[in-house]
Amino acid sequence: MSSYLNRKSNFELLRIVSQFYIILYHIFCFFIYPNTGVAFHKAIQMTFHVGVIDFVLISGYFGIRPSSKGFIKLLSIFLVYSLPYVFYKITTAADLKDICSQLLVISRSPLWFVKTYIYLYLFSPVLNLHIKHSSVRQKWYVIFVLFFVCIYMGMVKGDDSLSSGKNLPNFILIYLLGNILMQYKDLLAKISQKRWIIIYIVFNLILVTLYCLFSNGIIGKIIWHISFIYCSPILFINAIIFFMFFAQMNIKSKFINWIAKSSFAIYLIHGNRPYAYTLIGLASVYCVNHITNPIILFISIVLLAIAIIVITVSIDKLLTPLWNLFERLGNYMFMRLKF
């Protein structure tokens, strides 16, 4: 616990901001834009969509250190926060077969990111061996192959299984790109933090403005396609620029680190269906129906997202004794497996 609190806080802050972006994206995608039809409310989703990419980039930058205790804790947190959804599905099940199928929590979960991240976690030992023993040329070869598979085949919809980017090959690509950013961090550090944030702001202003101008035509569809889906090249560039802004920070805060420890829980709780999802939807639609000023509406949604983070982090901290219990269980099983 203490070692976690003593970490540098720039990437821990990025974890929090990534979750903040994910919440904002979900609100605008599922509740605001469907009720307003305003082009800006769709365009801004491209900016917020970097959250998932940056979360995986962090894993690649530092490398996942897989272990039985780490996996047990990851799985335990996921299973505990999935219980409300499982309970709901069981109570609304049509028959015994349907009830039994709902007990397959991982495969039946609606949270695609968690499932894909679990695949990445389990596959990470192979990736770490590749990173450790491959030459620079071999590393770039694998990245170029994954670019062809994930970005080209996914973006042009040459393979339906790759078209959304919500899959293991795309997460492997992001993980390896995170490692590349670590290897070239000294070279990238020559670009100042101020320049990274300016590039990020200008990049997104151009992106959002272009989409708003051409949202009803073929140009708008092209901009959306190459900038939004998780295997789109513009989204990758956007996420890397945002990532590098935080990489150039030099901050240390136990409070930020303490909050970031619950970043995974923020995703799990706020995306829980139907309970949290329904409440967030009601609050979002209420804002749309009662706030006519677009600036005040945007500020209200940002405040709602902050409130969601405060509530979800508070819930996770209340469950700290349970997570400590699972951690001790993981340590016990790790020792048993080790010896």
Side-chain angles (χ1 to χ4, degrees):
M1 177 71 169
S2 59
S3 61
Y4 190 94
L5 293 177
N6 289 326
R7 290 181 185 178
K8 282 184 64 177
S9 305
N10 52 335
F11 289 106
E12 304 307 314
L13 181 60
L14 178 56
R15 293 183 202 273
I16 299 169
V17 175
S18 294
Q19 291 299 337
F20 176 64
Y21 268 24
I22 290 169
I23 293 171
L24 285 172
Y25 157 67
H26 285 161
I27 291 175
F28 276 96
C29 178
F30 298 116
F31 306 117
I32 303 300
Y33 177 68
N35 281 279
T36 65
V38 175
F40 172 77
H41 293 156
K42 186 173 182 179
I44 198 67
Q45 295 171 36
M46 294 184 289
T47 298
F48 298 143
H49 222 209
V50 301
V52 165
I53 306 293
D54 279 323
F55 208 83
V56 181
L57 277 175
I58 295 171
S59 297
Y61 192 81
F62 292 102
I64 294 173
R65 295 175 176 81
S67 66
S68 58
K69 60 181 180 180
F71 183 69
I72 289 171
K73 186 175 181 181
L74 173 69
L75 200 59
S76 300
I77 294 173
F78 169 58
L79 293 176
V80 168
Y81 284 129
S82 296
L83 288 177
Y85 175 76
V86 174
F87 174 77
Y88 170 78
K89 296 298 288 186
I90 288 176
T91 56
T92 57
D95 49 40
L96 181 61
K97 181 181 178 181
D98 195 17
I99 291 175
C100 292
S101 70
Q102 298 307 324
L103 298 177
L104 303 173
V105 181
I106 298 176
S107 59
R108 295 305 295 266
S109 172
L111 301 175
W112 72 269
F113 169 79
V114 180
K115 291 186 285 188
T116 312
Y117 192 82
I118 288 174
Y119 309 153
L120 180 67
Y121 188 96
L122 293 172
F123 200 71
S124 61
V126 178
L127 297 176
N128 293 340
L129 284 173
H130 161 72
I131 289 169
K132 183 177 180 180
H133 298 291
S134 298
S135 66
V136 174
R137 185 175 180 178
Q138 290 169 331
K139 290 177 182 178
W140 278 109
Y141 172 77
V142 172
I143 287 176
F144 284 133
V145 169
L146 287 170
F147 262 102
F148 172 78
V149 172
C150 300
I151 294 181
Y152 174 70
M153 294 300 293
M155 195 174 62
V156 301
K157 297 185 178 180
D159 186 334
D160 290 340
S161 67
L162 301 170
S163 61
S164 66
K166 299 177 180 180
N167 50 65
L168 179 59
N170 199 46
F171 269 37
I172 291 175
L173 172 58
I174 300 167
Y175 186 86
L176 294 179
L177 286 175
N179 175 256
I180 290 294
L181 292 176
M182 167 62 86
Q183 290 187 33
Y184 291 94
K185 64 178 182 178
D186 292 336
L187 179 64
L188 293 168
K190 293 181 179 180
I191 303 176
S192 67
Q193 182 188 7
K194 182 179 179 181
R195 288 185 179 179
W196 280 117
I197 194 59
I198 291 173
I199 294 170
Y200 173 75
I201 292 171
V202 172
F203 189 87
N204 282 272
L205 281 174
I206 293 172
L207 193 62
V208 171
T209 301
L210 285 174
Y211 181 80
C212 289
L213 289 174
F214 302 103
S215 59
N216 294 324
I218 187 66
I219 296 177
K221 291 181 180 179
I222 293 172
I223 292 171
W224 179 262
H225 190 62
I226 65 173
S227 307
F228 177 77
I229 57 175
Y230 286 117
C231 54
S232 58
I234 300 299
L235 181 63
F236 272 55
I237 294 170
N238 203 1
I240 289 172
I241 294 170
F242 196 54
F243 180 94
M244 289 310 305
F245 166 67
F246 283 88
Q248 299 296 82
M249 288 183 178
N250 186 21
I251 55 175
K252 194 170 184 180
S253 167
K254 290 185 177 181
F255 179 71
I256 290 175
N257 295 0
W258 182 75
I259 296 293
K261 202 166 188 286
S262 297
S263 56
F264 188 51
I266 295 172
Y267 178 84
L268 290 172
I269 299 172
H270 99 270
N272 195 289
R273 302 183 184 188
Y275 308 109
Y277 184 82
T278 302
L279 290 173
I280 294 170
L282 290 172
S284 303
V285 173
Y286 179 87
C287 291
V288 170
N289 292 336
H290 291 82
I291 302 173
T292 56
N293 186 301
I295 297 176
I296 296 176
L297 174 61
F298 186 84
I299 294 172
S300 299
I301 297 305
V302 168
L303 292 175
L304 174 61
I306 293 172
I308 291 169
I309 289 178
V310 172
I311 293 169
T312 52
V313 169
S314 299
I315 292 171
D316 191 59
K317 297 308 179 187
L318 288 173
L319 292 175
T320 296
L322 183 60
W323 309 144
N324 291 339
L325 176 64
F326 285 130
E327 191 164 17
R328 288 196 294 271
L329 175 63
N331 287 334
Y332 172 76
M333 294 189 66
F334 174 74
M335 295 303 294
R336 296 283 292 182
L337 289 172
K338 187 175 180 180
F339 295 105

